[in-house]
Amino acid sequence: MEWLTRLFTDVDFLPHIVLLYAVVIAVGVYLGKIKVCGISLGVTFVLFAGIVAGHFGFTGTPRTLDFIQDFGLILFVFMIGLQVGPGFFESFGKAGVKLNGLATVAILLNILVMFGCYYIFFDTSDKNSLPMMVGTLYGAVTNTPGLGAANEALSSMYQQDAPPIASAYACAYPLAVVGIILSIVAIRYICKVKLEKEEEQLEEQAGAKATQKPYKMHLEVSNKYLEGKTMLQVHDFLNRDFVVSRIVHEGELSIPNRNTVFHLGDQMLIVCAEADQEAIMAFIGPKLDIDFEQQDQPLVSKRILVTNPSINGKSFGQMHFSSVYGVNVTRVTRHGMDIFASPSLPLQVGDRIMVVGPEDAVDRVAHKMGNSIKRLEAPNLATIFVGITLGIIFGSLPFIPGMPLMKLGIAGGPLIIAILIGRYGYKIKLVTYTTTSANMMLREIGLVLFLASVGIKAGAGFFETVMQGDGLLYVLTGILITIIPILIVGPIARLKFKLNYFTIAGMISGTYTDPPALAYSNSICSKEAPAVGYSTVYPLSMFLRILTAQLIILLFCS
C-alpha cells in the first residue's frame, strides 16, 4: 500500500504530479460542461477544481507548479497570438476603428471602476489590497490571460508570498459571465431596440457589401480603342484589378496572358471585384448570354491548396501564372472568405486558389503549390517554438531603460511576437499556418495547465480568503466592474454611433473575451453580425488586457 500512499501524497513523486493534473483537469472540464440557465463556465471550471484539490492538500512542489503554470501560460497566449495575428492590423480598417475605439474605452472604464472600488471599499494601507483588486478585475472581465500576466508580474516583484489574486479572480468570475449577458439584454431595453428591425438593417447592409465579392461575367470587346492593345495596356489604363481567364478570338478558345492582344469582337470571361464590374463592362463592352465553362471541354477549373512552404509570401504578380504556366487564377479562399486574386496579394500556406486552364497546366500548378492536405494536418512546431524563444527574449527586455521591472514578461512578449509572426512571418519564410483544431488543442492544453496550477496554488488559503476575508467584497466589486462600463459604452455605441444592436453585442463579448456572451448574441441573431463584432475587437482587446494587467501591477503595486 506504500506505493498507493506515495502516489497520492508524495509531492516530489513524478507520477503524483501527473495524476494531480490529470484529475484536476478532467474533473474541471467535465463539470465545466454543466449548464445553469443555458450558461456554462467551460474550461475555466478547471480553476475551481484546482482550488478544491489544493484545499485538501492534493498538491505539488511550488517549483513544479510554477513551471507548469508558466509553460501553460506561454503556450496559451502564443497560440492566441498566432490565431489573431493575420487579422490584427486589418481590424483597424474604417469600420474597425470605431469598434476598437469603443472597446478601448470599455477596457479603460473597467480599470477606472476597479480603482474607484479600491478607494471606496478597501483599506489602501494594505499592500495586498490593490493586487487582489487586479485579480477581481480580470475575473470581472472573464480574461484569464490577463490574470496570468498580472500573476507573472507579481511573481517578479514579490519573488515569494505574492498575493493570491486567483482567489479574487475566482470570486468575481462566475457572476461576471452572467452579468455580461444581462447587461447586453439591458442595453436592448435602454435603447428600445427592436430585434426585427436590426435584422432588416443587417440584410440591407449585406446587400450593399455584396459589391466586394468576386464577380464573373462574359463580355464582348466593342470599344474601338482596345483594338491592338495588349492585356497589360488595358489593365494599366483602366487601373482596376480584373482577370481574363478565357478568351475567344475568331472562334478559337485560349488562355490569355499579359501580352495577349485585344481585337474587336473578341469574347472573354472576366473575374473582378463586384464593385468594379460596371466600370469594366462600360470600358470593354456588353455582357454576353453564354457560358464558356459549359462550351469549353479542354479547359478545367480546379481549386488548389497552397501547402508548399516556398510559395509562402509570394504575390500573384511574382508567380506569373498566365505567362509561365498558361493558366489564370481567378480568386482565393482564405479563412472561409473569397478574395479577389489581385497581382499584389501575397499567397499564404492554407490558401485555396481557383485555377483555370488546360488540364495538364493546372496539374503542373497543383504540383508547384503542393496541394497536399496532409501537410496541413500537423502544426508547424518549429515555427511555434522559434516564436516562443523570440517572445521570451523580447518579453525579458525592459521597455523603459533603467526600470528592469517594466517589461512585457512571459505573457506579453510571446503574445506580441506571435501576432507579428502570424501577420508577417511569411516575409521571413516562416510558415505559421496551423489548422483551427490544432491551434485550439494547443491553446486549450496551455490554458488548462495554467488554470490547474493557479487553482492548486490558491486552494490552500482560498476558503479563508472568501469566508473570513473580503470574498463578498470581491463579488460585489466584480459585478460593478463588469456592468458599469457595458452600460456606458453600449448606449453610446447605439445612440451616438448608430451601430447595429447585434454588432454591439458581439463587440461587448469580444471586449470581455467572453465566449458565453458571444454564444448568447449569436442565438438571438440569424446573421453573422455578432461574430464580426467579436472578431473585430478581440485581437486588440486581448492585447490590451494582457498589457494593462502588467502595467497596473508594475506602476501601482510596486
Side-chain angles (χ1 to χ4, degrees):
M1 292 296 292
E2 181 182 349
W3 67 270
L4 186 61
T5 302
R6 189 182 182 196
L7 183 62
F8 280 92
T9 60
D10 188 349
V11 295
D12 289 317
F13 191 36
L14 179 60
H16 167 81
I17 298 298
V18 177
L19 179 67
L20 167 65
Y21 277 89
V23 170
V24 168
I25 292 171
V27 170
V29 170
Y30 277 118
L31 292 179
K33 294 180 179 180
I34 298 174
K35 291 186 177 182
V36 179
C37 298
I39 301 172
S40 65
L41 295 183
V43 295
T44 307
F45 211 98
V46 171
L47 174 68
F48 298 97
I51 288 173
V52 173
H55 175 72
F56 288 104
F58 191 27
T59 184
T61 61
R63 188 178 183 86
T64 301
L65 296 177
D66 287 342
F67 167 74
I68 297 177
Q69 172 186 310
D70 291 346
F71 178 75
L73 177 63
I74 292 168
L75 188 60
F76 177 52
V77 298
F78 189 84
M79 297 313 295
I80 285 178
L82 277 186
Q83 180 196 27
V84 304
F88 183 80
F89 297 99
E90 283 75 5
S91 68
F92 297 100
K94 185 175 181 181
V97 167
K98 191 181 297 182
L99 289 176
N100 278 295
L102 289 167
T104 302
V105 170
I107 291 169
L108 294 176
L109 286 173
N110 288 135
I111 296 172
L112 290 176
V113 174
M114 181 209 71
F115 275 108
C117 291
Y118 166 66
Y119 285 110
I120 293 172
F121 297 111
F122 291 87
D123 179 8
T124 57
S125 63
D126 183 355
K127 68 175 185 178
N128 288 341
S129 292
L130 186 54
M132 294 298 285
M133 279 305 297
V134 174
T136 305
L137 165 66
Y138 283 93
V141 299
T142 68
N143 188 266
T144 307
L147 170 68
N151 232 345
E152 195 259 332
L154 280 172
S155 298
S156 68
M157 292 176 56
Y158 283 80
Q159 301 300 322
Q160 56 183 2
D161 297 326
I165 64 174
S167 298
Y169 173 94
C171 289
Y173 188 95
L175 285 181
V177 175
V178 179
I180 295 168
I181 295 174
L182 292 179
S183 299
I184 292 173
V185 174
I187 293 171
R188 173 183 169 185
Y189 291 100
I190 292 171
C191 300
K192 299 178 180 179
V193 171
K194 301 294 184 182
L195 298 185
E196 298 80 5
K197 290 186 177 180
E198 300 303 296
E199 289 265 8
E200 292 174 2
Q201 184 187 47
L202 289 177
E203 289 180 359
E204 293 175 0
Q205 292 175 352
K209 290 181 179 180
T211 57
Q212 304 306 313
K213 298 178 181 178
Y215 184 81
K216 182 172 63 176
M217 57 185 173
H218 300 82
L219 302 182
E220 180 176 334
V221 179
S222 62
N223 185 350
K224 295 180 180 180
Y225 170 80
L226 302 183
E227 177 65 36
K229 299 294 191 296
T230 65
M231 177 89 70
L232 180 61
Q233 290 174 319
V234 174
H235 189 279
D236 291 343
F237 183 85
L238 191 54
N239 197 28
R240 294 176 189 266
D241 283 330
F242 65 91
V243 173
V244 179
S245 63
R246 307 176 192 185
I247 189 168
V248 175
H249 175 64
E250 296 181 349
E252 183 178 343
L253 181 66
S254 63
I255 297 290
N257 58 41
R258 60 190 299 171
N259 297 316
T260 297
V261 176
F262 280 34
H263 299 282
L264 289 176
D266 284 354
Q267 299 174 348
M268 56 189 64
L269 173 59
I270 289 181
V271 181
C272 63
E274 193 163 358
D276 295 332
Q277 58 107 354
E278 289 189 6
I280 293 173
M281 183 171 61
F283 184 70
I284 294 178
K287 282 185 179 180
L288 297 173
D289 188 19
I290 60 172
D291 190 346
F292 293 160
E293 292 180 324
Q294 296 298 323
Q295 297 177 4
D296 174 31
Q297 294 302 319
L299 304 182
V300 297
S301 300
K302 186 176 182 180
R303 286 191 177 273
I304 293 175
L305 187 62
V306 180
T307 60
N308 183 352
S310 66
I311 302 298
N312 203 45
K314 290 187 177 181
S315 68
F316 281 96
Q318 292 174 310
M319 291 302 300
H320 304 295
F321 283 107
S322 60
S323 58
V324 174
Y325 295 97
V327 301
N328 278 331
V329 178
T330 58
R331 56 189 177 276
V332 184
T333 302
R334 179 177 297 168
H335 302 303
M337 296 184 296
D338 280 342
I339 305 172
F340 179 68
S342 64
S344 60
L345 181 70
L347 284 162
Q348 295 183 11
V349 170
D351 286 349
R352 291 183 182 273
I353 58 176
M354 176 62 80
V355 180
V356 180
E359 188 170 4
D360 59 341
V362 171
D363 289 341
R364 285 195 297 271
V365 172
H367 179 74
K368 179 69 175 178
M369 297 296 106
N371 201 35
S372 173
I373 189 66
K374 289 184 178 180
R375 291 191 184 182
L376 298 184
E377 290 178 347
N380 294 286
L381 291 178
T383 296
I384 292 172
F385 284 99
V386 165
I388 288 176
T389 301
L390 295 175
I392 295 297
I393 295 172
F394 182 65
S396 301
L397 299 174
F399 54 83
I400 298 180
M403 298 182 68
L405 290 179
M406 292 296 290
K407 55 187 180 182
L408 293 173
I410 62 171
L415 176 71
I416 291 178
I417 294 298
I419 289 173
L420 293 175
I421 288 178
R423 178 63 181 86
Y424 298 110
Y426 67 86
K427 293 190 174 182
I428 55 174
K429 305 304 179 184
L430 280 178
V431 178
T432 60
Y433 177 85
T434 56
T435 62
T436 302
S437 58
N439 185 291
M440 286 294 294
M441 176 64 77
L442 291 171
R443 193 170 77 186
E444 293 294 284
I445 288 174
L447 177 59
V448 295
L449 290 175
F450 168 77
L451 289 173
S453 303
V454 171
I456 294 167
K457 290 166 63 177
F462 176 76
F463 290 97
E464 290 77 6
T465 300
V466 175
M467 301 302 177
Q468 301 174 12
D470 295 322
L472 292 178
L473 267 181
Y474 297 144
V475 174
L476 171 63
T477 53
I479 293 173
L480 296 177
I481 294 169
T482 299
I483 65 175
I484 290 176
I486 296 176
L487 296 181
I488 292 174
V489 171
I492 290 175
R494 176 65 180 177
L495 301 175
K496 179 175 177 58
F497 294 103
K498 310 298 181 184
L499 293 178
N500 185 276
Y501 173 73
F502 298 121
T503 301
I504 295 172
M507 180 265 293
I508 292 171
S509 304
T511 303
Y512 282 71
T513 62
D514 188 49
L518 176 62
Y520 166 76
S521 303
N522 282 331
S523 70
I524 61 174
C525 179
S526 63
K527 304 292 188 298
E528 296 180 353
V532 171
Y534 182 94
S535 60
T536 299
V537 303
Y538 179 89
L540 180 64
S541 297
M542 183 64 76
F543 172 75
L544 290 178
R545 293 291 188 195
I546 292 174
L547 183 63
T548 54
Q550 295 186 307
L551 289 177
I552 293 170
I553 294 295
L554 295 174
L555 293 176
F556 298 100
C557 299
S558 57

